[in-house]
């Protein structure tokens, strides 16, 4: 074996062992996605609008997919906001909140409209894919519940779109 062949084989082995791939990150069989308004079972209204908008923006920025109406879509990405919580982490001696945490949980489902199959990695039929996010904020620093919720929704959108990636 000459030196050049040996270097090529070593380089190919190194790339294969490091987890590099030339395959696309998202399934090529999908070109379009329908994203209906997320449902909600919580009393804090408006979150479903914010989350749907954030997911659509993330899809358009990070994936090759186009968002279309339901009758033209290859897949449907739908979800339901299951819970929103806010709790005090640290308080002053006068019982004023110094640091708080908000948490949000969403059930998500990605379904192929052509076959009816679920497309989320690791999802079993009838069991929703649960995505959770949390955020902390400090009112003394000018942060509010609204800023924490915006941060949480942005994190959730990234997680939801990431679950659409192909497994390695």
């Amino acid at each position: 074996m000459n030196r050049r062949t040996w270097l090529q084989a070593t380089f190919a082995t190194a790339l294969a062992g490091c987890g590099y791939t030339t395959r696309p990150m998202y399934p090529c069989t999908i070109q379009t996605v329908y994203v209906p308004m997320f449902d909600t079972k919580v009393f804090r209204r408006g979150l479903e609008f914010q989350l749907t908008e954030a997911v659509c923006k993330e899809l358009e920025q990070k994936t090759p997919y186009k968002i279309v109406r339901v009758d033209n879509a290859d897949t449907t990405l739908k979800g339901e906001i299951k819970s929103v919580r806010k709790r005090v982490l640290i308080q002053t001696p006068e019982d004023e909140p110094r640091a708080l945490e908000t948490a949000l949980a969403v059930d998500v489902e990605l379904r192929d409209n052509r076959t009816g199959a679920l497309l989320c990695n690791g999802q079993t039929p009838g069991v929703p894919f649960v995505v959770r996010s949390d955020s902390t904020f400090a009112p003394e620093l000018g942060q509010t519940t609204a800023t924490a919720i915006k941060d949480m929704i942005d994190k959730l959108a990234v997680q939801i779109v990431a679950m659409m990636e192909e497994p390695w």
Side-chain angles (χ1 to χ4, degrees):
M1 180 186 281
N2 66 19
R3 181 181 164 106
R4 183 177 178 173
T5 307
W6 182 83
L7 285 173
Q8 287 174 342
T10 303
F11 184 69
T13 304
L15 283 180
C18 293
Y20 290 102
T21 181
T22 57
R23 291 183 302 154
M25 291 178 57
Y26 297 95
C28 296
T29 57
I30 300 170
Q31 278 84 36
T32 56
V33 179
Y34 170 62
V35 184
M37 184 66 62
F38 276 65
D39 288 332
T40 183
K41 299 292 183 203
V42 299
F43 292 109
R44 185 178 287 267
R45 296 293 174 218
L47 293 179
E48 64 273 20
F49 298 107
Q50 290 176 313
L51 183 56
T52 304
E53 181 182 9
V55 167
C56 289
K57 284 181 181 178
E58 190 72 15
L59 272 169
E60 290 172 347
Q61 290 176 354
K62 302 282 172 66
T63 71
Y65 306 143
K66 300 294 177 221
I67 298 172
V68 296
R69 295 186 323 216
V70 66
D71 51 341
N72 298 330
D74 297 333
T75 58
T76 299
L77 175 65
K78 66 179 184 175
E80 180 178 3
I81 300 171
K82 287 298 202 178
S83 69
V84 178
R85 292 180 320 190
K86 181 169 82 170
R87 68 184 181 115
V88 177
L89 297 175
I90 303 170
Q91 59 189 26
T92 65
E94 293 81 27
D95 291 334
E96 293 175 355
R98 180 166 278 170
L100 295 97
E101 176 187 56
T102 57
L104 187 62
V106 180
D107 288 348
V108 181
E109 177 182 281
L110 179 64
R111 190 171 292 274
D112 190 326
N113 292 341
R114 300 163 292 191
T115 64
L118 292 173
L119 299 176
C120 295
N121 298 325
Q123 185 172 359
T124 55
V127 178
F129 194 85
V130 180
V131 182
R132 292 183 178 92
S133 180
D134 62 6
S135 182
T136 57
F137 66 102
E140 291 177 343
L141 300 177
Q143 299 168 333
T144 65
T145 304
T147 58
I149 287 175
K150 170 79 169 97
D151 182 46
M152 269 191 321
I153 285 178
D154 290 343
K155 289 178 188 176
L156 280 171
V158 169
Q159 290 178 37
I160 290 169
V161 171
M163 76 173 199
M164 297 171 71
E165 292 179 1
E166 288 273 28
W168 281 40

